[in-house]
């Protein structure tokens, strides 16, 4: 089955969910003639129709994803980075995350290590001193 | 005369050391962003916007910096097109057709200088066009009521979806997704929450900067990782840099024609620089007498798309400033910048904040001269930059994007949302669904709904009011034509291709 068929059906489901949650919107006594529900309703309808169209008349091209594992890994690295940036300071999480992403693009250990360290220190100096952003270098726990 | 007085006022704003410094910095960053494959004007401006807030720049300063980056990226894109046969950004795609063959024939230096001059001509003429056209359009825009604005927003989505994407249904899906995302948060007129599911983070709505950086920068990194990444390396060296006077003279008319075509394509809402350079190249190929060398290194084939895309970049600023409707992906991002700076683009901008508009225009004229200097005599420096390998560049881009968003809000929720947009953008890219209508939807969603509701308040619920004025009917029909015409044109254009294949 063509990938567009799945995509179209997925969009139809999203559209129906959107319409369903639009019915839950509270209306105020101050409501204007259109109210807060109508526009989301119209959007949901258009979305559903377009989704159906794509599902019924899909493009010929099949979606090709060569290495979904790499992308999933990169996304996981970024999620970890997002959580560690606040408690962990700038330098250590940035070095690890950019090193890992560099390794994903070109799998060589030494250049990836150097990239991680250099980007972490270089960007820190740039942001902190040249541009004056308030970043913490080290984990806050280290200094109480 | 009035315009000249305003322009003088603008130069008074722009000729301060700080603004000049920002313009030069923007030009350098922009050229770098444009030259590096994988980083286009939209990505570049998107990544830099959050940072520009963290520096505490005021409206004029931030706008000057970002539009210099925007203009600079249009110049820079040609460098890797000519030397590597890889477009530095999407609008520079057409430049590869004749630029790379010229470079292979040992005329890389000539091609770079010629395209630099063509970029300058295109951008200069477009900025002059902006000076002439924008105040006129701003005056017409006063006739626009809510019904007309609603039709205008629709026109922007229709032309964007109709012209710049392969599949109209997918473009419409993208627009609806964007509009749907913009509904999240508190309803403007009643103050009641919509689609927040009780989540406090969602009450404020989704910050479009988070969406923009996610959909452009983070998606780019994912796409690159997935495709294993091509190693970029300098293919062709520049032997000697001299000014190819004969080529420049010969393509003078070409530059003028291409600038005009590019400018018109830019002014149309939703069309943008890629279409500008495409139309300029095809138009030129059709108009010159002897086009046998096009595609094999004809200097006119280098000059036309470069003049065209730079002129379109300037033209796209016209609807963005006067109507608040962006003409391209990058101007959509610039509109986000304006909105965040609490400036409402539109006719009132020209009356209430003339210093912003005319300061910007003056800065653009200055930036253009700076860009000519950077891109012709100093082009070698940027050529060196092309040797930065992607395994350093992309982690760097990611980290800058993270720091930018993190410094805005300091919340990990926004960072997670940005990654989610990145993943969504990755799958949409794989499915050939364009990302720009999503951004446009998130940006314009609330305005579009508000104008519909205001129109209905005026007419007390009579839907015929939407089609009650000549301007509104004109915009509606343009929207329908803009959306539907490419479907039929595509069929006409495809048939001969299928025969020759």
């Amino acid at each position: 089955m063509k990938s567009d068929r799945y995509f179209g059906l997925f969009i139809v489901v999203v559209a129906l969910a959107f319409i369903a949650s639009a019915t839950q919107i509270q209306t105020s006594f101050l409501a204007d003639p259109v109210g807060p529900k109508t526009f989301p309703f119209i959007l949901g309808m258009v979305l559903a129709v377009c989704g159906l169209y794509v599902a019924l008349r899909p493009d010929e091209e099949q979606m090709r994803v060569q290495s979904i594992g790499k992308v999933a890994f990169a996304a996981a690295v970024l999620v970890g980075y997002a959580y560690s940036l606040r408690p962990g300071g700038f330098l250590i999480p940035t070095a690890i995350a950019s090193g890992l992403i560099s390794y994903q693009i070109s799998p060589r250990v030494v250049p990836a290590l150097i990239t991680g360290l250099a980007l972490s220190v270089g960007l820190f100096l740039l942001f902190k001193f040249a541009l004056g952003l308030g970043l913490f270098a080290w984990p806050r726990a280290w200094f109480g | 005369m009035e315009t000249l007085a305003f322009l003088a006022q603008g130069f008074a704003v722009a000729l301060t050391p700080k603004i000049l410094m920002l313009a030069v910095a923007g030009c350098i960053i922009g050229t770098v962003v444009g030259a590096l494959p994988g980083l286009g004007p939209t990505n570049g401006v998107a990544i830099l916007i959050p940072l520009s807030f963290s520096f505490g720049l005021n409206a004029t300063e931030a706008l000057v910096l970002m539009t210099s980056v925007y203009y600079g990226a249009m110049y820079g894109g040609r460098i890797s097109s000519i030397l590597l046969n890889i477009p530095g950004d999407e609008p520079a795609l057409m430049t590869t057709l004749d630029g790379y063959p010229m470079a292979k024939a040992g005329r890389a230096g000539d091609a770079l200088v010629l395209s630099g001059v063509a970029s300058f001509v295109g951008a200069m003429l477009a900025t002059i066009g902006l000076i002439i056209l924008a105040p006129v359009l701003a005056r017409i825009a006063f006739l626009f009521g809510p019904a007309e604005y609603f039709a205008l927003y629709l026109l922007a989505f229709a032309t964007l979806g109709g012209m710049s994407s392969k599949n109209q249904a997918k473009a419409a899906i993208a627009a609806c997704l964007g509009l749907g995302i913009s509904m999240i948060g508190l309803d403007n007129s009643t103050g009641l929450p919509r689609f927040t599911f009780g989540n406090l983070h969602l009450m404020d709505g989704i910050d479009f900067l988070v969406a923009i950086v996610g959909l452009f920068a983070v998606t780019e990194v994912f796409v690159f990782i997935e495709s294993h990444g091509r190693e970029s390396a300098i293919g062709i060296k520049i032997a000697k840099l001299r000014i190819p006077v004969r080529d420049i003279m010969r393509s003078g008319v070409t530059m003028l024609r291409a600038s005009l075509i590019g400018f018109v394509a830019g002014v149309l809402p939703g069309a943008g620089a890629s279409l500008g350079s495409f139309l300029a190249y095809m138009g030129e190929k059709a108009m010159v007498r002897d086009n046998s060398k096009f595609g094999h290194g004809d200097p006119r084939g280098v000059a036309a798309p470069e003049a065209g895309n730079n002129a379109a970049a300037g033209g796209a600023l016209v609807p963005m400033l006067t109507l608040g409707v962006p003409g391209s992906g990058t101007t959509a991002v610039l509109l986000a910048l304006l909105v965040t700076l609490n400036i409402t683009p539109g006719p009132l901008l020209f009356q209430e904040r003339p210093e912003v508009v005319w300061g910007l225009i003056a800065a653009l004229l200055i930036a253009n001269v700076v860009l000519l200097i950077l891109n012709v005599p100093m082009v070698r420096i940027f050529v060196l930059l092309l040797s930065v390998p992607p395994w350093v560049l992309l982690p760097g881009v990611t980290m800058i994007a993270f720091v930018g968003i993190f410094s805005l809000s300091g919340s990990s929720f926004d960072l997670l949302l940005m990654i989610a947009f990145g993943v969504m953008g990755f799958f949409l890219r794989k499915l050939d669904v364009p990302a720009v209508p999503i951004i446009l939807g998130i940006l314009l969603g609330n305005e579009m709904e508000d104008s519909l509701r205001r129109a209905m308040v005026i007419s007390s619920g009579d839907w015929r009011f939407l089609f009650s004025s000549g301007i509104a009917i004109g915009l509606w029909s343009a929207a329908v034509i803009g959306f539907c015409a490419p479907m039929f044109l595509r069929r006409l254009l495809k048939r001969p291709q299928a025969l020759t294949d």
Side-chain angles (χ1 to χ4, degrees), chain B residues 66-87:
Chain B
M66 289 304 150
T67 40
S68 306
V69 172
Y70 173 45
Y71 266 37
M74 292 292 159
Y75 273 78
R78 76 195 207 281
I79 299 176
S80 66
S81 293
I82 291 172
L83 295 178
L84 305 177
N85 202 18
I86 302 168

Side-chain angles (χ1 to χ4, degrees), chain B residues 246-269:
Chain B
R246 251 192 74 227
D247 287 341
I248 294 175
M249 298 299 278
R250 257 189 67 208
S251 43
V253 186
T254 301
M255 289 182 203
L256 292 181
R257 274 197 296 240
S259 302
L260 183 70
I261 296 175
F263 184 73
V264 173
V267 172
L268 288 176

Side-chain angles (χ1 to χ4, degrees), chain A residues 34-101:
Chain A
V34 176
K37 284 184 187 179
T38 316
F39 195 68
F41 262 131
I42 301 173
L43 275 183
M45 295 301 220
V46 177
L47 194 59
V49 170
C50 291
L52 262 183
Y53 180 85
V54 170
L56 293 177
R57 297 196 53 191
D59 284 346
E60 284 303 312
E61 285 162 53
Q62 187 71 17
M63 179 172 98
R64 260 196 307 249
V65 180
Q66 292 161 347
S67 43
I68 192 72
K70 272 183 148 184
V71 176
F73 181 77
V77 168
L78 292 182
V79 170
Y81 181 58
Y83 275 117
S84 58
L85 196 53
R86 191 177 248 300
F90 184 79
L91 289 177
I92 299 171
T94 306
I96 296 173
S98 51
L100 284 172
I101 291 179

Side-chain angles (χ1 to χ4, degrees), chain B residues 98-444:
Chain B
D98 279 277
Y100 188 65
M102 234 178 124
K104 270 209 305 209
R107 299 186 61 207
D110 289 359
L112 282 175
V113 174
L114 174 67
S115 57
V117 173
S119 295
F120 177 75
V121 172
M124 215 56 176
L125 289 175
T127 312
I128 294 169
L130 170 71
I131 293 171
I132 298 168
L133 191 61
V136 178
L137 203 59
R139 229 164 288 150
I140 296 174
F142 273 117
L143 301 172
F144 280 44
E148 285 79 10
Y149 265 108
F150 183 75
L152 182 68
Y153 293 135
L154 212 67
L155 171 67
F157 285 113
T159 46
L160 191 73
M163 288 197 234
S164 52
S165 102
K166 280 179 229 150
N167 184 332
Q168 265 84 352
K170 286 182 177 176
I173 286 175
C176 288
L177 286 177
L179 289 169
I181 291 168
S182 78
M183 297 291 112
I184 297 171
L186 296 183
D187 174 30
N188 268 352
S189 27
T190 58
L192 292 167
R194 292 194 289 181
F195 305 105
T196 57
F197 310 107
N199 185 329
L200 277 183
H201 285 295
L202 291 177
M203 289 285 245
D204 279 344
I206 288 180
D207 192 338
F208 37 69
L209 292 177
V210 173
I212 289 171
V213 177
L215 278 175
F216 291 110
V218 179
T219 295
E220 198 64 50
V221 173
F222 286 153
V223 169
F224 207 93
I225 287 175
E226 194 259 344
S227 65
H228 298 290
R230 305 147 298 196
E231 290 283 322
S232 79
I234 293 282
I236 286 166
K237 293 256 185 291
I238 310 174
K240 219 173 107 192
L241 220 52
R242 57 186 182 82
I243 298 174
V245 182
R246 251 192 74 227
D247 287 341
I248 294 175
M249 298 299 278
R250 257 189 67 208
S251 43
V253 186
T254 301
M255 289 182 203
L256 292 181
R257 274 197 296 240
S259 302
L260 183 70
I261 296 175
F263 184 73
V264 173
V267 172
L268 288 176
S274 305
L275 188 77
S277 70
F278 175 75
L279 289 180
Y281 184 87
M282 298 315 272
E284 196 54 33
K285 197 176 169 184
M287 271 187 273
V288 296
R289 241 173 280 140
D290 168 30
N291 69 4
S292 58
K293 278 186 75 193
F294 267 71
H296 306 283
D298 191 312
R300 289 169 300 182
V302 178
E306 276 308 308
N309 79 27
N310 284 274
L317 288 173
V318 175
M320 198 272 277
L321 288 173
T322 53
L323 300 168
V325 175
S328 68
T330 319
T331 43
V333 181
L334 285 172
L335 180 69
L337 172 76
L338 282 174
V339 173
T340 324
L341 289 166
N342 216 1
I343 295 176
T344 318
L348 285 175
L349 181 65
F350 283 76
Q351 292 203 329
E352 286 169 2
R353 307 286 298 270
E355 83 283 359
V356 174
V357 179
W358 293 100
L360 170 70
I361 290 174
L364 285 178
L365 292 171
I366 297 168
N368 229 333
V369 177
V370 175
L371 280 167
L372 182 68
I373 299 168
L374 284 176
N375 277 279
V376 173
M378 292 164 73
V379 73
R380 275 169 197 282
I381 301 169
F382 296 103
V383 172
L384 280 180
L385 274 170
L386 289 182
S387 49
V388 174
W391 46 270
V392 174
L393 177 69
L394 284 155
V397 168
T398 320
M399 297 306 135
I400 294 173
F402 269 75
V403 172
I405 294 295
F406 186 69
S407 66
L408 269 188
S409 62
S411 84
S412 2
F413 180 78
D414 278 351
L415 292 179
L416 293 177
L417 206 56
M418 176 176 93
I419 300 168
F421 272 110
V423 173
M424 178 174 123
F426 172 76
F427 283 107
L428 292 181
R429 175 91 66 95
K430 287 282 151 190
L431 288 161
D432 263 336
V433 178
V436 174
I438 301 181
I439 293 299
L440 209 61
I442 298 177
L443 266 174
L444 299 181

